Amino acid sequence: MGNAFQILHRKEKDMLLDIVKEKRISRTELQKKSDLKVANFYNTVDALLEYGLIKKEEVPSNGKKGRPSEILTLNKDCFNIFYILITGEGYFFGVCDLEGNISEGEQYKFDSSFSFGFFISEAKRYYEKKSSQFDLQYLTLVSGVNPKRKEQVFSTFYQRDIESELQKAIGIPVYSDSIARAAALGIYDERYRQEHVSLAFFNLGSGIGVGLVHSLIPEEFWYKNRIAIGHWEMNPNGRKCKCGKQGCLITTLGSSNIVKNALEYRDAGIASTLIDSAVISDVIDAANNGDESAIKAMDEAAVSFVKATRITYSVVNFDVAVIGGLLCKGNTYFYNKVREEIKDLPFSLDVEEDYISKTSKGICYRLILELLS
């Protein structure tokens, strides 16, 4: 079928938006929210059912008498979306429904044979293969950086606009966002939306950013800009960063720098079992098991994170701080140290180790909001 969103009138968009926000709503409750006259209301619901954008189910009423209630929900299978995720380690192609549920996919790691042209050709190949099985209407792109940036994104993506190149090669609309923002909205929608809290998601890995969701402004404008905190200068006497500045946050909180710091402490004589080829997961395991060099590097990372959180909170108040990213996978030492340092701050702390699974949900939710705005 074609993209039914393109033929909706304003009243149909408004009604569909109410259904999207509630996820499940009875026809009776939806009518209370609507300012349409009864006949127009039923005609609008019937039109959305006919387009295939919503579906209904009958639920028996509590009493013995009376007609069953009719529950309306978004038809997440009305079309599918080509989903691309790019991280510092590699990239993922998948197919997801309108709610961001990924049905299948292929994972690739960056290696010496990788190039920007190869990435575009592989995306086109995957799209052509899957478009024979699925009605793919949009492409959603999530990356650790803003794909519209013209400076170096990855060494192999130099001076290229990923979004426009993908749209040119594949021919369907492309919606893109950063991992921090997409995960923030996905976590919010799944876990906190009913509580109406404001949330900051801190993506801690090879790059560091914050995605913000605000609950006190209209939902169409929840999604605020990502705050790039990795190159805040936190320690004028700290390590020189590759960006040229001194003591950037990433020099103590970035995953590769945590490894580098732990190995330097080992070389300076602090007890450690870490080997030269250690990666962040090795340092995490070592800190959890009491390795002194790993603990010292993790202590610095936790203190730096709390300092950055304080600054972020002073700029944009939030109710919940969620930590996610490469640094958070199984890192109980880091969690405990952060909780110890953060206990006097007026917000709650949450951890999302599987944050990547929330990015598709967040960007698909934003896509629907934009289509209905």
Side-chain angles (χ1 to χ4, degrees):
M1 77 170 228
N3 181 357
F5 281 101
Q6 296 174 354
I7 60 175
L8 295 180
H9 298 298
R10 183 68 261 166
K11 63 182 180 181
E12 294 165 342
K13 285 188 175 185
D14 290 342
M15 184 174 290
L16 185 54
L17 188 58
D18 283 333
I19 295 172
V20 168
K21 290 175 182 177
E22 296 297 327
K23 296 194 174 180
R24 290 173 55 86
I25 187 169
S26 70
R27 190 186 284 255
T28 303
E29 288 300 315
L30 183 62
Q31 188 173 2
K32 290 178 183 178
K33 286 177 170 287
S34 173
D35 58 0
L36 297 175
K37 293 181 179 179
V38 174
N40 286 338
F41 170 80
Y42 277 92
N43 288 338
T44 304
V45 172
D46 289 343
L48 293 176
L49 287 166
E50 184 180 343
Y51 297 151
L53 290 172
I54 64 172
K55 57 185 179 179
K56 63 180 179 180
E57 59 180 282
E58 291 189 344
V59 178
S61 56
N62 293 330
K64 293 182 179 179
K65 297 182 180 180
R67 298 174 58 185
S69 296
E70 197 170 82
I71 303 298
L72 302 172
T73 60
L74 176 70
N75 181 11
K76 62 185 180 182
D77 299 319
C78 62
F79 61 75
N80 292 278
I81 295 166
F82 178 16
Y83 177 70
I84 297 179
L85 168 71
I86 303 173
T87 69
E89 293 76 46
Y91 56 99
F92 172 85
F93 296 148
V95 174
C96 61
D97 61 28
L98 272 178
E99 291 183 341
N101 301 304
I102 298 175
S103 58
E104 58 179 274
E106 297 177 7
Q107 185 88 37
Y108 302 88
K109 291 214 175 267
F110 292 126
D111 57 30
S112 57
S113 66
F114 180 81
S115 68
F116 184 79
F118 175 77
F119 168 78
I120 296 295
S121 65
E122 283 295 281
K124 185 176 180 181
R125 175 198 61 80
Y126 186 86
Y127 170 75
E128 290 173 348
K129 182 174 75 171
K130 294 303 175 184
S131 58
S132 62
Q133 302 171 246
F134 300 96
D135 184 17
L136 299 174
Q137 294 281 348
Y138 292 93
L139 188 158
T140 63
L141 169 68
V142 178
S143 68
V145 294
N146 181 350
K148 292 181 182 293
R149 282 171 53 185
K150 298 300 182 184
E151 64 265 32
Q152 185 168 338
V153 178
F154 297 112
S155 60
T156 47
F157 285 10
Y158 188 66
Q159 294 290 329
R160 307 300 289 270
D161 187 325
I162 308 172
E163 185 176 322
S164 63
E165 293 283 349
L166 282 169
Q167 187 155 344
K168 189 190 308 178
I170 296 173
I172 57 177
V174 178
Y175 284 75
S176 65
D177 223 319
S178 74
I179 286 174
R181 294 203 306 176
L185 192 56
I187 292 165
Y188 183 90
D189 185 47
E190 184 175 278
R191 197 178 302 169
Y192 292 103
R193 184 167 57 89
Q194 297 303 325
E195 300 176 36
H196 303 292
V197 303
S198 295
L199 176 150
F201 171 75
F202 292 83
N203 182 31
L204 309 179
S206 53
I208 303 172
V210 185
L212 298 166
V213 180
H214 291 276
S215 62
L216 301 180
I217 53 180
E219 294 189 38
E220 292 82 352
F221 305 100
W222 272 352
Y223 219 25
K224 303 304 288 182
N225 288 332
R226 178 176 68 100
I227 299 177
I229 64 175
H231 292 289
W232 283 355
E233 294 176 87
M234 306 294 284
N235 179 8
N237 299 315
R239 180 198 298 279
K240 187 172 182 178
C241 182
K242 62 182 180 181
C243 74
K245 295 188 291 188
Q246 202 78 23
C248 290
L249 178 62
I250 202 167
T251 61
T252 51
L253 191 57
S255 55
S256 59
N257 282 288
I258 290 173
V259 176
K260 186 184 296 185
N261 293 340
L263 292 176
E264 285 186 359
Y265 293 136
R266 179 206 64 181
D267 294 343
I270 298 176
S272 179
T273 59
L274 292 171
I275 59 176
D276 289 344
S277 60
V279 294
I280 187 63
S281 58
D282 299 322
V283 178
I284 289 170
D285 290 341
N288 289 340
N289 290 318
D291 185 281
E292 291 183 27
S293 292
I295 284 175
K296 186 170 176 60
M298 282 295 171
D299 280 351
E300 289 181 340
V303 170
S304 293
F305 171 72
V306 173
K307 188 184 296 186
T309 307
R310 288 177 183 274
I311 296 171
T312 306
Y313 182 79
S314 70
V315 177
V316 186
N317 290 354
F318 45 82
D319 305 302
V320 181
V322 183
I323 313 174
L326 188 64
L327 180 55
C328 290
K329 292 187 180 296
N331 198 343
T332 53
Y333 183 86
F334 182 76
Y335 302 158
N336 293 336
K337 184 66 178 179
V338 167
R339 287 192 176 99
E340 179 186 320
E341 296 284 335
I342 217 167
K343 58 189 175 185
D344 63 319
L345 292 175
F347 53 81
S348 60
L349 184 69
D350 196 358
V351 176
E352 177 54 69
E353 292 191 27
D354 191 23
Y355 72 107
I356 289 297
S357 69
K358 305 299 186 295
T359 60
S360 59
K361 293 181 182 295
I363 201 169
C364 286
Y365 189 73
R366 182 179 72 89
L367 169 61
I368 293 176
L369 292 181
E370 290 195 7
L371 290 173
L372 298 177
S373 64

